Amino acid sequence: MTTAARTTPRSPTIVLVFLLLAYILNFLDRQILSILAQPIKKDLSLSDTEFGAIAGLAFALLYSFAGVPLSYLADRTSRSRVIAGSLAIWSGFTALCGVAGGYWSMFLYRLGVGVGEAGGVAPSYALIADYFPPEKRGRALGIYSLGVPVGLGSGLLVGAYIATYINWRAAFLIMGGIGLLLVPFFLWVVKDVPRPAGLTSQVRLGEVWAIVSRKPSFWLLAIAASLSSLCGYGLAVWVPSVLILSYDLTLLQAGQFMGSLLLIGGVIGVLAGGHFADRLGHADKSWYAKLPAFAWLIALPCFLFGLTTDNLWLAWPPLLIANAMNILWLGPIVTAVQNLVEPAKRATASSMFLLINNLVGLGVGPLLIGAISDSLKATYGPDSLRYAAIGVVLFYGLAGAMALIASRFLTRDWVDEPQP
């Protein structure tokens, strides 16, 4: 028997709660960097391009590539233990960010955060798919995906308050410590669903790649999600600085403004995506791609209006809608990717999807906005970040088009759940 088969599974709801807690910390540890951009740049003497490399490229490099072998390991051994080990690693390196003395030390610590978080997401997707039947999977993955807006919003708020009343270094140390405290409780609660002896050893990395690479829906959904993530991660990193530099908000006010958008809009979008994907996709699988496509096409004009108006009271409603629409894709597309392969190969397939998504989204988004901002600074001064962000949101239109094309192939590529 495998390690997974010797464990006793818990209640699906309890497992989902602990996976969600870990995912919240995952995104909180990522996002806390963005609200601390100005004091970190000042203390470490960083340019926008250098900070963009730390926030995006440093994290994405190992996060993207390490995800495939770690998820492959999870499919062949224990998904829950790989997640717990990853939680310990990324939390430890988050704490180390609080003692960084310069550009390269912060860059290397962020690499470590990326390595840790690489083993958390794809195995969690697979574990949720193990615990929940197909008709409830979209909503379960949608609830899990609440970790994105809750983690992003909490990161902004927590980071802003700690930096305001203590300092930016304390924010990293405190958040990293909380993650390390969660690890033993996670190990005690989250167990793998038993799998037949020998089944895990049948998973082959090349075989999984051969399956997904032949499916047009995989490529189209991966590219669409990547373009959306390029915008989403880039904006999440830089919009707090836009609020400080272009709207004269304090660090705490910027954290409160952005935190409200991410927590309210993001939670609504993620829950709506999971709910409507299952409701519409039950009869027509193409809705798992159509729903995100329509959401991205709505997000585009809302972001453009919100970022161009000089009145924050007028900007908040369209930005709220945009933050709901730009994250709605998580439940539907993650569910679709889970169903492009048979159950034993889910974590590995998800990691291949995340490799593409994170290399483009995390690796390019924050760095691209930072580089554009530096190139525009001589002309637009403090507003250079604002105009860089406005230019990047145009990628939402292309993401929507790619997802609509993917909807034509998804029903054909879908792998039906095997009957017990």
Side-chain angles (χ1 to χ4, degrees), residues 92-140:
F93 276 102
T94 296
L96 284 173
C97 289
V99 299
Y103 172 74
W104 283 110
S105 59
M106 180 65 89
F107 189 94
L108 291 172
Y109 293 150
R110 291 297 291 176
L111 281 177
V113 174
V115 170
E117 294 190 8
V121 183
S124 295
Y125 289 162
L127 206 54
I128 290 168
D130 287 343
Y131 270 92
F132 291 87
E135 66 274 11
K136 297 181 180 179
R137 196 166 292 153
R139 274 167 285 186

Side-chain angles (χ1 to χ4, degrees), residues 88 98 112 114 144 175 189 227 245 248 292 295 326 352 354 366 371 396:
Y144 173 71
M175 289 303 103
V189 170
L227 293 171
L245 296 172
D248 295 322
N326 82 332
M352 292 171 178
L354 290 170
Y396 278 121

Side-chain angles (χ1 to χ4, degrees), residues 130-266:
D130 287 343
Y131 270 92
F132 291 87
E135 66 274 11
K136 297 181 180 179
R137 196 166 292 153
R139 274 167 285 186
L141 285 165
I143 292 171
Y144 173 71
S145 297
L146 286 174
V148 179
V150 174
L152 292 176
S154 299
L156 289 165
L157 291 171
V158 170
Y161 274 99
I162 295 176
T164 298
Y165 293 106
I166 309 178
N167 56 58
W168 67 267
R169 294 183 183 278
F172 287 108
L173 292 168
I174 291 170
M175 289 303 103
I178 291 173
L180 290 172
L181 288 174
L182 179 62
V183 173
F185 296 100
F186 186 95
L187 280 169
W188 179 59
V189 170
V190 180
K191 307 294 183 183
D192 287 69
V193 172
R195 287 174 277 171
L199 179 61
T200 54
S201 63
Q202 295 173 12
V203 178
R204 296 286 183 270
L205 193 61
E207 179 188 354
V208 178
W209 174 249
I211 293 170
V212 298
S213 64
R214 290 196 300 265
K215 298 190 174 187
S217 59
F218 172 82
W219 290 105
L220 291 163
L221 290 175
I223 294 170
S226 298
L227 293 171
S228 169
S229 294
L230 183 152
C231 302
Y233 285 125
L235 294 173
V237 167
W238 286 115
V239 168
S241 293
V242 171
L243 294 170
I244 293 170
L245 296 172
S246 295
Y247 293 91
D248 295 322
L249 297 188
T250 65
L251 185 147
L252 186 56
Q253 289 171 332
Q256 291 168 336
F257 186 89
M258 271 296 290
S260 67
L261 292 175
L262 291 167
L263 285 171
I264 299 172

Side-chain angles (χ1 to χ4, degrees), residues 16 19-21 23-24 27 121 124-125 128 137-152 233 262-263 265-274 323 327-335 353-354:
L16 184 58
L19 290 172
L20 174 59
L21 286 173
Y23 203 32
I24 289 171
F27 270 86
V121 183
S124 295
Y125 289 162
I128 290 168
R137 196 166 292 153
R139 274 167 285 186
L141 285 165
I143 292 171
Y144 173 71
S145 297
L146 286 174
V148 179
V150 174
L152 292 176
Y233 285 125
L262 291 167
L263 285 171
V267 168
I268 291 171
V270 167
L271 290 177
N323 276 279
I327 206 169
L328 184 144
W329 70 269
L330 282 167
I333 290 184
V334 168
T335 301
F353 165 81
L354 290 170

